[in-house]
Amino acid sequence: MAYTLNVNGRTTSVDVPADMPLLWVLRDVLNFKGTKFGCGIGQCGACTVQVGGRAVRSCQVTAAQAANAAITTIEGLSADGSHPVQRAWQEVDVPQCGYCQAGQIMSAAALLAQKPEPTDADIDTAMNGNLCRCGTYVRIREAIHRAAALVSGRSTSTAQRAAAE
């Protein structure tokens, strides 16, 4: 069946089964390889994309469910890596192996779009379910605070103090 998808600001039609996971539509049909397959059961978060501004596990959303919704993948966050979350990830040197990072970044960007100045508790809640086998959770939290500071123009230390309150 044909579905209209709006991926990274571009509308396209895909002829796929209704129950095909969005993950496979993105990777295998539309060639967006930044979205990673992790566990396939929605537990690890490696496949996280944004649908309608919400962070979702693309292995758990079907093509039919995603039809006509605004979908953003890691490739669509910014063409040149200038999104504040991407910049913060580089400045803080978050990744080790990097496999989970696209999903982590997409969850972090969705969080900051909803809560521009998140607390540590906000970050923990939003990032719960994005697993990192390398254990870079402390750096992930630091990078999210850094990204919030980049957006607001505050210094990172001010952002970290605000988060601790």
Side-chain angles (χ1 to χ4, degrees):
M1 180 155 203
Y3 295 97
T4 300
L5 298 179
N6 181 338
V7 182
N8 300 331
R10 291 188 168 191
T11 301
T12 188
S13 181
V14 294
D15 190 9
V16 298
D19 62 349
M20 179 181 241
L22 179 59
L23 170 66
W24 300 122
V25 175
L26 293 171
R27 287 185 59 79
D28 295 348
V29 178
L30 300 176
N31 205 31
F32 289 105
K33 303 296 187 187
T35 303
K36 302 298 184 201
F37 172 77
C39 65
I41 59 172
Q43 298 297 305
C44 74
C47 68
T48 301
V49 298
Q50 293 176 14
V51 176
R54 287 185 35 247
V56 299
R57 308 301 187 247
S58 63
C59 70
Q60 299 296 295
V61 175
T62 66
Q65 291 169 324
N68 300 311
I71 302 163
T72 306
T73 68
I74 190 72
E75 293 91 346
L77 204 53
S78 75
D80 61 359
S82 63
H83 187 281
V85 174
Q86 292 170 310
R87 289 177 39 212
W89 241 248
Q90 291 175 352
E91 289 177 20
V92 176
D93 196 23
V94 172
Q96 282 186 25
C97 82
Y99 195 83
C100 69
Q101 296 307 305
Q104 301 274 4
I105 288 169
M106 295 308 293
S107 290
L111 166 65
L112 291 174
Q114 294 176 345
K115 287 195 172 210
E117 296 184 23
T119 65
D120 284 349
D122 294 331
I123 293 169
D124 292 347
T125 299
M127 302 304 289
N128 186 28
N130 281 87
L131 303 179
C132 175
R133 291 192 63 173
C134 300
T136 63
Y137 300 111
V138 172
R139 290 189 302 214
I140 289 168
R141 183 185 292 154
E142 182 183 344
I144 293 171
H145 286 301
R146 176 68 183 132
L150 288 169
V151 171
S152 72
R154 295 180 322 226
S155 70
T156 303
S157 59
T158 304
Q160 289 171 333
R161 279 195 301 274
E165 295 174 351

